[in-house]
Amino acid sequence: MRTREKLKSIYTALLECYGPQYWWPGETPFEVMIGAILTQSAAWGNVEKAIGNLKAAGKLSAASLQDIPIGDLAKLIYPSGYYNAKAKKLKALVEWLGRYGDDLSRLDTRDTAELRQELLGVHGVGPETVDSILLYALNRPVFVIDAYTRRLFSRLGIKPEKDTYEGWRALFMDNLPSDVGVFNEYHALIVRQGKEKCGKQPRCDGCCLVEGCASGK
DNA sequence: ACCCAGGGTCATA
DNA sequence: TATGACCATGGG
């Protein structure tokens, strides 16, 4: 079976097993962008606490985060871990937003590839974070690669020629329709599946994809 | 007590 | 360009 067919059938299987995931959890595109930084190597539950703190303090806006002292910001996002490092990253992100008058709609006319390059230049924004922002905050058709993606598809025997972020990204984007909805749901389903635990192993990357797996359908 | 969570930066070779 | 140290809380 060709790669294209496999990716499609895996998507279908995951969707049937878990249903739509309704990503990204976040009320506004700005909140999604902030969450993309805060969730770096952190459990989402801790990120929710941090975002809750920001909301409660009335600081969940670009202007507020531009004004707040970095030390105060670090305290608010404490639960998400790496709070000093992430406070600096959030500052860099809202400083970048300031170049557009804190107005995300001004990004609408920008070419996706150029926007991606520009965001990659912002401190704290790496390849996974930028694709998360592009897809889940700005509705651009890009595929997000993470550790779950590499682990799952490696075990299923699907790998890019070059084992790099860009290699993995191209593997999916070249073999799937360029559809925001599909890219959104596929990544969310991969993460959902990656967190799943069947009785046999702590991580069974075959659940719903391999017959006989305990948590399979 | 250990392991890892929806990564990225920076210094070093 | 390719590793490794570092950033740090909280749940299993």
Side-chain angles (χ1 to χ4, degrees):
Chain A
M1 199 190 283
R2 289 184 336 223
T3 301
R4 178 168 308 209
E5 319 278 336
K6 290 183 185 173
L7 293 186
K8 178 60 179 175
S9 67
I10 291 167
Y11 174 69
T12 301
L14 288 172
L15 187 58
E16 187 179 342
C17 181
Y18 298 111
Q21 301 298 300
Y22 305 108
W23 269 33
W24 182 296
E27 297 181 4
T28 65
F30 179 75
E31 185 178 330
V32 172
M33 295 178 77
I34 297 308
I37 296 291
L38 294 179
T39 196
Q40 291 174 358
S41 200
W44 182 252
N46 291 340
V47 176
E48 289 185 316
K49 294 175 190 169
I51 291 177
N53 289 345
L54 290 173
K55 275 187 186 172
K59 302 297 181 185
L60 199 57
S61 73
S64 300
L65 293 187
Q66 284 154 7
D67 293 340
I68 190 174
I70 194 167
D72 294 353
L73 175 55
K75 287 179 188 170
L76 289 173
I77 63 172
Y78 178 86
S80 68
Y82 301 128
Y83 46 86
N84 288 315
K86 286 176 180 175
K88 185 178 176 184
K89 293 176 179 180
L90 289 180
K91 279 291 189 182
L93 184 63
V94 294
E95 181 186 7
W96 177 77
L97 277 174
R99 298 183 210 167
Y100 297 93
D102 303 340
D103 184 4
L104 287 176
S105 70
R106 283 202 206 172
L107 301 174
D108 290 347
T109 56
R110 297 289 305 282
D111 174 73
T112 298
E114 289 180 7
L115 190 53
R116 185 174 193 265
Q117 280 310 117
E118 186 175 318
L119 266 167
L120 281 173
V122 176
H123 176 83
V125 179
E128 183 177 340
T129 302
V130 78
D131 285 334
S132 294
I133 289 174
L134 288 171
L135 177 61
Y136 292 107
L138 304 178
N139 292 308
R140 305 294 182 120
V142 298
F143 202 92
V144 179
I145 302 299
D146 65 349
Y148 290 126
T149 310
R150 299 190 192 212
R151 194 179 70 207
L152 172 60
F153 287 87
S154 291
R155 292 193 188 171
L156 293 175
I158 301 173
K159 299 179 202 174
E161 297 182 3
K162 295 183 180 178
D163 188 19
T164 63
Y165 186 93
E166 296 301 327
W168 280 95
R169 186 179 190 265
L171 172 65
F172 285 88
M173 292 187 69
D174 292 347
N175 290 288
L176 287 171
S178 186
D179 183 302
V180 173
V182 172
F183 288 167
N184 178 318
E185 199 60 58
Y186 209 154
H187 174 68
L189 284 165
I190 290 166
V191 173
R192 168 65 188 275
Q193 195 279 337
K195 294 169 136 159
E196 201 73 16
K197 299 176 175 77
C198 71
K200 304 177 180 178
Q201 337 171 326
R203 300 212 185 331
C204 57
D205 283 334
C207 291
C208 298
L209 302 172
V210 173
E211 204 157 338
C213 180
S215 79
K217 236 191 118 193

